[in-house]
Amino acid sequence: MKDVIRVVLVDPSEPSRTNLQRLVQGVASLWTAEVLTTCQGMAGRIAEINPDLCVIGLDADPAQALELIAQIHATAPSVVVLPASATADSTLILKAVRAGAREFLTLPSEPTELHEIAARLCTAREGRKSIAIRGPQIVAVTGAAGGVGSTSVAVNLAASLALRKSQECLLLDFDLMFGAVDVCLDIIPDNTLSTILQSFDRLDQTLLKRSLTRHRSGLYVLPHPVAMEDAAKIDPESLRRFLMLLKSAFPALVIDTSKGLQASDFVAFEMADVILIVVTLDLTCLRNTARLLNLFRQFDGMVDRVKIVVNRAGSFENEISLSKAEETLKAPIFRQIPNASKPFQASRIKGAPLSEAAPGTRVYQDFLELTGALWPESPSENQKPRKGLFAAFF
């Protein structure tokens, strides 16, 4: 399963709606983006969500349900509509097809049947994401040694991206034992990775976002488990599926991994579009990074997604040169972040990203440039409004 099929469920009847929700939850490849309790006036909302599949219960009010199918077909023709009814009436089926439905689900049904129908109807739909994605959707940030500043890079990278009003970003802490994302942002989360994983199958897209902690910068944050024993309960397969669902909800995910090469880290590396390895120009770090790259080369295509960022460049006199580092790693250096102890110290003391703690510094500008290199802005985002010919006189 490379992607998740996003489903909007519409049914005014509570018993029928509950049964349909259970049916959808029984199919691993389906995720309920939203549940609507009325057919009237919902075509606009469905077009806004732009799901892959819209399952509509017919039995509560067949006339309104058929009208909704016709409205969806007219306003959002790329959305696949699947009517569902306990009445296998040929006249009703014909009316549904004429309104714009492509198949008909007779209730009660089994998850395997729904899975086959959804896969058949939605497999070929291209460009179906409602979220605007420019650049990598998942960036995993890691380091081959402790203390290189990979968490600081992940936090400031995500916070810089979140400042763009057009592109929501979620920062996840995959250092399950000793993560520090919550401390860096001075947040006390209501939910953590472990608590969300226990119930994410029952959350639609709206409830999922409400369950996440949102930093004042606009960045969504999902920290590591509070109790260490909860980290052992996180199943890699559930984590993989959870990331697939998050891809349907967010245009950008930044993952701060651990330095211990845990199972969760390999899930992040496997699914990442870019693996950002943070290094410092000292022998120990470069040697360990070379070993990590050799490990990545054993997995098909993984090393091709690696970009290397030098942190604390210029921090000491005898640091290894960039050319020597590239020769050692057999890979180019993507970006450099200069040594800036005072801004980072201010950031740590305030529990705030550089965008708040030191917005006028050169190092913050470097993070903006790094963000822009990974996620290029569209002309409409970075183009300043043109002034009139006589604006200077007013």
Side-chain angles (χ1 to χ4, degrees):
M1 183 176 62
K2 292 184 178 180
D3 239 328
V4 170
I5 296 173
R6 299 169 66 244
V7 179
V8 166
L9 178 61
V10 187
D11 196 333
S13 168
E14 184 176 353
S16 173
R17 187 171 63 246
T18 301
N19 289 333
L20 279 174
Q21 282 183 273
R22 290 192 187 121
L23 181 62
V24 171
Q25 289 169 3
V27 182
S29 59
L30 302 184
W31 183 39
T32 307
E34 194 154 328
V35 178
L36 304 176
T37 59
T38 180
C39 295
Q40 194 169 7
M42 288 297 107
R45 177 57 183 155
I46 292 166
E48 181 184 343
I49 300 169
N50 190 28
D52 303 303
L53 181 66
C54 183
V55 180
I56 301 178
L58 299 182
D59 295 335
D61 193 331
Q64 278 198 357
L66 291 170
E67 184 180 350
L68 177 60
I69 293 171
Q71 290 172 347
I72 295 170
H73 185 63
T75 59
S78 64
V79 176
V80 176
V81 179
L82 179 63
S85 173
T87 305
D89 179 63
S90 59
T91 303
L92 183 62
I93 294 173
L94 182 59
K95 286 181 178 179
V97 171
R98 284 176 176 172
R102 290 169 54 185
E103 288 213 27
F104 193 92
L105 181 66
T106 303
L107 302 174
S109 180
E110 295 295 323
T112 52
E113 182 183 359
L114 178 59
H115 171 73
E116 290 172 2
I117 293 174
R120 184 166 60 250
L121 292 177
C122 301
T123 296
R125 186 180 177 196
E126 296 294 336
R128 61 183 179 81
K129 290 190 182 294
S130 61
I131 50 179
I133 301 170
R134 293 183 301 277
Q137 194 172 5
I138 299 182
V139 173
V141 183
T142 193
V148 297
S150 56
T151 296
S152 293
V153 170
V155 167
N156 284 289
L157 182 67
S160 299
L161 183 61
L163 291 175
R164 295 186 192 175
K165 303 303 180 185
S166 62
Q167 200 158 0
E168 290 183 325
C169 180
L170 171 62
L171 174 64
L172 299 103
D173 195 341
F174 272 25
D175 190 346
L176 304 182
M177 301 298 287
F178 300 108
V181 162
D182 52 343
V183 176
C184 290
L185 293 172
D186 191 26
I187 58 173
I188 301 175
D190 295 323
N191 293 294
T192 66
L193 185 60
S194 58
T195 56
I196 294 289
L197 274 172
Q198 291 170 11
S199 58
F200 76 91
D201 276 325
R202 298 189 295 274
L203 298 175
D204 60 33
Q205 185 169 317
T206 302
L207 289 176
L208 173 63
K209 287 190 174 181
R210 287 177 181 172
S211 300
L212 301 172
T213 300
R214 198 167 193 187
H215 187 258
R216 53 187 172 270
S217 64
L219 177 65
Y220 287 90
V221 185
L222 190 54
H224 63 89
V226 174
M228 286 188 172
E229 58 268 23
D230 289 340
K233 300 175 185 176
I234 294 179
D235 172 51
E237 189 54 41
S238 297
L239 197 58
R240 185 177 290 106
R241 181 164 179 261
F242 182 49
L243 285 179
M244 290 178 180
L245 299 181
L246 290 175
K247 285 178 66 177
S248 298
F250 290 93
L253 308 174
V254 176
I255 304 174
D256 182 33
T257 69
S258 77
K259 315 302 178 294
L261 295 181
Q262 301 170 355
S264 56
D265 300 326
F266 278 98
V267 171
F269 297 150
E270 173 195 332
M271 297 192 62
D273 302 297
V274 169
I275 302 171
L276 214 62
I277 300 182
V278 181
V279 304
T280 53
L281 295 176
D282 64 87
L283 182 59
T284 301
C285 181
L286 292 178
R287 183 192 63 182
N288 286 341
T289 303
R291 294 171 61 208
L292 181 61
L293 290 173
N294 285 333
L295 175 64
F296 285 172
R297 290 186 181 99
Q298 298 178 33
F299 300 90
D300 186 33
M302 187 173 287
V303 76
D304 299 329
R305 292 181 274 125
V306 167
K307 294 184 184 297
I308 298 171
V309 172
V310 172
N311 194 24
R312 304 191 190 118
S315 57
F316 55 95
E317 293 182 3
N318 297 323
E319 69 181 15
I320 297 170
S321 67
L322 287 177
S323 59
K324 186 63 176 178
E326 291 180 329
E327 180 184 339
T328 302
L329 300 176
K330 300 177 182 177
I333 301 299
F334 178 62
R335 281 290 187 277
Q336 295 183 68
I337 298 171
N339 184 42
S341 55
K342 288 185 178 180
F344 277 111
Q345 184 178 8
S347 175
R348 285 191 294 271
I349 291 173
K350 292 181 179 180
L354 291 171
S355 56
E356 293 181 18
T361 57
R362 176 62 224 178
V363 68
Y364 175 58
Q365 292 302 314
D366 286 320
F367 271 106
L368 290 178
E369 291 174 10
L370 174 60
T371 304
L374 289 169
W375 294 280
E377 292 182 280
S378 65
S380 61
E381 287 177 311
N382 57 23
Q383 189 176 38
K384 294 181 179 179
R386 296 180 63 182
K387 295 183 178 180
L389 182 62
F390 300 102
F393 293 98
F394 298 94

